[in-house]
Amino acid sequence: MARWPIAWVCGTCLTAGLLLPVEQPPPLRPRLQVEELFVSAPDLHVIEGRIAEKLKNGTAVAIDYHLALFAGSRTVARRRTFERFSFSYDLWEENYTVSTLRKPRSAASRMTAREAERWCLDHLPMLSTGLGRDEEFWLRLEIRAAQTKSDADWLSDDGLNLGRLIDALGRVDERKPDQWVREAGPFRLRDFPASGRTP
């Protein structure tokens, strides 16, 4: 008879443990290298669905990446960085090639889908200069598959047209383009270890 209370207590403890909230990794994980911030997004997979299908059908796909930093205000970005990446797929080698479209151009090939996604984020630096070590800041990453040539109006060899880019990002597209948004924070520069890893 004495076994029942013990079993009940053990079962209750196990159930309670299962119900405890599990700490989830942030949707954006920043790291600091010298004076540049970079982000990773472990749960974000761009090369899937329609985009993967287009690539494997031999069509190159352009994707716009926009990283914004907010400090002091969550509504007005203090700093932004942009890049348009061109993705292609080698049907014979069964791997991906990615290149930047702004000068100076960079490219990498023979990558898996996950490696190609990480490569893009590793080529989207955000300057941290001007941020106080104790100042709170937030990061917002927006990614969108380019739809038409008109979307390229904000990006050229001469530079960026910020007004057109913000308009393009905020515009509702009836074609429902593939797009993703991830946000995280607050962070402080003082919390980043000297090695540059995520705090």
Side-chain angles (χ1 to χ4, degrees):
M1 295 296 292
R3 293 179 181 177
W4 284 104
I6 295 173
W8 181 83
V9 169
C10 291
T12 302
C13 291
L14 282 171
T15 303
L18 291 173
L19 294 176
L20 288 174
V22 178
E23 185 176 350
Q24 297 294 326
L28 285 180
R29 301 183 64 188
R31 69 182 189 278
L32 183 64
Q33 293 183 355
V34 189
E35 293 185 338
E36 290 183 325
L37 284 164
F38 295 85
V39 297
S40 61
D43 73 326
L44 177 59
H45 301 308
V46 175
I47 305 176
E48 287 187 343
R50 290 186 297 181
I51 288 179
E53 183 179 346
K54 286 181 181 179
L55 289 167
K56 291 183 178 181
N57 285 334
T59 303
V61 177
I63 302 180
D64 298 330
Y65 280 64
H66 169 222
L67 181 63
L69 182 149
F70 299 84
S73 169
R74 298 289 301 275
T75 56
V76 179
R78 179 180 293 187
R79 191 162 292 153
R80 301 174 186 268
T81 186
F82 317 90
E83 186 56 81
R84 173 168 284 188
F85 296 94
S86 177
F87 291 75
S88 60
Y89 183 74
D90 188 316
L91 296 172
W92 298 104
E93 299 276 344
E94 296 186 342
N95 54 42
Y96 296 88
T97 294
V98 187
S99 61
T100 61
L101 294 184
R102 287 195 294 166
K103 293 180 180 179
R105 293 177 177 171
S106 301
S109 58
R110 297 183 178 179
M111 295 186 290
T112 65
R114 303 293 85 87
E115 289 171 341
E117 292 163 351
R118 286 194 297 270
W119 188 89
C120 291
L121 292 177
D122 287 342
H123 287 75
L124 194 71
M126 168 75 72
L127 283 173
S128 65
T129 53
L131 275 177
R133 287 187 55 80
D134 295 321
E135 188 174 10
E136 289 187 338
F137 66 92
W138 291 259
L139 294 167
R140 177 184 175 92
L141 174 68
E142 297 180 61
I143 302 174
R144 190 182 75 160
Q147 296 297 300
T148 65
K149 291 182 179 179
S150 63
D151 286 340
D153 288 346
W154 62 266
L155 178 60
S156 69
D157 291 340
D158 297 327
L160 299 168
N161 186 312
L162 185 58
R164 289 181 182 176
L165 173 62
I166 294 173
D167 179 65
L169 289 169
R171 188 170 58 242
V172 175
D173 194 324
E174 294 178 355
R175 292 165 296 182
K176 295 182 179 178
D178 294 285
Q179 53 189 3
W180 301 262
V181 178
R182 295 291 186 275
E183 297 178 321
F187 304 104
R188 294 180 180 87
L189 291 181
R190 72 179 183 191
D191 296 327
F192 286 77
S195 61
R197 294 192 301 271
T198 300

